[in-house]
Amino acid sequence: MHLLKLSESKWSLVLCALFVCAAIFELDAKEQRMTPGTTSTLKKPKLGKTTNKRQRVEMVKPKIKPSAAAQTKTSLTQVLGRGVFKKVGETLSVQTGDTLSLRCRGKPVQWSFPPLVEEDEGRLMIVQQERFSLLTLVNTTVADTGEYTCYPMNCEDRDCRREYNKATNVFIFFPDPRELFIPSSSHYEIIQLRSNWPAVLPCQVTSPEAKVTLHREFPPEEVAVDGTEISFNNRKGFTIHRPQPHHAGVLQCVANLGNLMQSSTKYILSYVNYPMAPPVPVIQASSSSVAVGDNLRVTCAALGERDVYMEFNWEYPAQQ
């Protein structure tokens, strides 16, 4: 009987200990829930919400401010009237006698134009505004045909230079029913045909509608233009890409438009053979070592293409 009572008292002590431990654990849990920043109270992230938002924030890229070079990119437009503008392409046609107005965006900018326009400054006016430059040419003629280019300027203090890689240009035709070629003051023009360089016959037409052919004076015949050996561009003229001796002679361009046919300036083509590479000198001596008073013979030979004139010059010690 005494042993039974002893066992019951032991089990009472065990139950009391368990109750105390449970109370301690409950108090710890409450403290953790009341303390901010503990990991035990953080809610599990819901897929598709918190995680995705975090990814979207990390993928946002900062905005990059355009560089100064990008801001200097020019654009060219034709002014048709007050507040009326038209973006130009590679070419443009303006009737002779009309006023040409071109606007180039950028500050500052610089213009280039055909030589005859530059010589006649009385008809040309250029005004630089805050964000653009305006070129105005009045009383236009066929001689104004050519390329007009607008260059943005890169300035540091007072030193300015052209940004050639950011330039904008347009080739402008000024058609005239009486003139198919840009007028020239000379009847003949001499062009040297170099074997290592393309040659251009600059017979530029005033109208893109004109059909142009190339003719030889003697023997009188039309020269074949195949686009490979010889090609034509109405903004440049005829180009002989690989000049040969048979291309030499007197040639001229003939233009046809409607019932009008006209001939250009005559071009006298002279052929000059340029070597593909400079001659290679080879020098030899009769001996690598000679006594004082003995004779020494040195020979210099040049290896290169045939029919190429060469001149020899010597340099040696005690030349004076």
Side-chain angles (χ1 to χ4, degrees):
M1 189 72 180
H2 178 74
L3 292 173
L4 182 61
K5 288 182 179 180
L6 182 62
S7 299
E8 289 177 356
S9 62
K10 288 181 178 180
W11 280 107
S12 298
L13 290 174
V14 171
L15 291 174
C16 289
L18 292 173
F19 179 79
V20 171
C21 291
I24 292 172
F25 289 149
E26 181 66 19
L27 289 173
D28 290 339
K30 288 182 178 180
E31 288 178 359
Q32 290 178 355
R33 286 194 295 268
M34 295 175 65
T35 304
T38 58
T39 57
S40 60
T41 58
L42 291 176
K43 295 182 180 180
K44 293 183 179 180
K46 295 181 180 180
L47 296 178
K49 291 186 178 181
T50 307
T51 305
N52 289 343
K53 286 183 179 179
R54 189 173 183 179
Q55 290 178 353
R56 284 197 295 268
V57 172
E58 292 176 352
M59 293 176 64
V60 174
K61 297 182 179 179
K63 293 183 179 180
I64 300 174
K65 186 178 180 180
S67 62
Q71 293 175 351
T72 58
K73 182 67 177 178
T74 60
S75 63
L76 198 60
T77 56
Q78 181 186 11
V79 183
L80 301 177
R82 187 170 183 177
V84 182
F85 308 99
K86 178 184 178 183
K87 188 175 181 180
V88 300
E90 294 183 355
T91 62
L92 180 67
S93 292
V94 177
Q95 193 62 38
T96 53
D98 292 350
T99 298
L100 170 67
S101 294
L102 295 176
R103 192 175 80 158
C104 179
R105 183 170 61 90
K107 180 185 179 182
V109 300
Q110 195 175 80
W111 293 86
S112 70
F113 22 77
L116 294 178
V117 176
E118 189 173 0
E119 294 173 2
D120 191 0
E121 297 180 354
R123 300 184 298 115
L124 180 66
M125 181 175 62
I126 297 176
V127 178
Q128 179 69 54
Q129 299 289 350
E130 180 65 24
R131 296 184 179 180
F132 62 88
S133 178
L134 182 65
L135 179 148
T136 304
L137 183 64
V138 299
N139 300 327
T140 55
T141 67
V142 292
D144 300 327
T145 299
E147 190 170 73
Y148 292 73
T149 307
C150 173
Y151 300 93
M153 303 296 290
N154 185 1
C155 296
E156 296 181 2
D157 296 331
R158 295 184 178 181
D159 184 21
C160 294
R161 58 183 179 86
R162 290 179 174 181
E163 294 281 355
Y164 288 93
N165 59 333
K166 298 182 179 67
T168 306
N169 56 65
V170 57
F171 192 95
I172 304 180
F173 295 96
F174 290 90
D176 189 301
R178 298 164 298 178
E179 295 286 347
L180 298 182
F181 289 104
I182 299 177
S184 175
S185 57
S186 60
H187 296 287
Y188 292 91
E189 184 175 340
I190 298 176
I191 296 178
Q192 188 181 81
L193 298 178
R194 299 177 54 170
S195 59
N196 62 340
W197 197 259
V200 178
L201 281 65
C203 49
Q204 294 177 334
V205 290
T206 61
S207 172
E209 309 281 331
K211 181 182 178 182
V212 188
T213 53
L214 184 61
H215 295 259
R216 183 180 299 276
E217 186 176 59
F218 184 82
E221 61 180 359
E222 181 177 342
V223 179
V225 179
D226 57 2
T228 303
E229 184 177 349
I230 303 177
S231 63
F232 175 74
N233 185 314
N234 58 11
R235 291 171 284 173
K236 293 175 58 178
F238 287 96
T239 301
I240 304 175
H241 297 278
R242 289 176 291 274
Q244 300 294 327
H246 67 269
H247 292 134
V250 180
L251 283 77
Q252 65 180 156
C253 309
V254 177
N256 290 271
L257 183 60
N259 297 325
L260 182 63
M261 176 185 292
Q262 286 184 347
S263 299
S264 69
T265 298
K266 291 185 179 181
Y267 300 99
I268 303 176
L269 278 59
S270 61
Y271 178 79
V272 179
N273 181 30
Y274 277 77
M276 298 299 293
V280 180
V282 178
I283 192 167
Q284 292 180 340
S286 58
S287 177
S288 59
S289 177
V290 295
V292 176
D294 290 348
N295 295 330
L296 173 68
R297 185 177 64 227
V298 181
T299 304
C300 179
L303 303 179
E305 299 178 22
R306 296 180 57 184
D307 302 326
V308 176
Y309 174 77
M310 286 176 286
E311 182 179 347
F312 293 86
N313 292 305
W314 287 91
E315 292 183 7
Y316 49 88
Q319 190 170 5
Q320 297 298 331

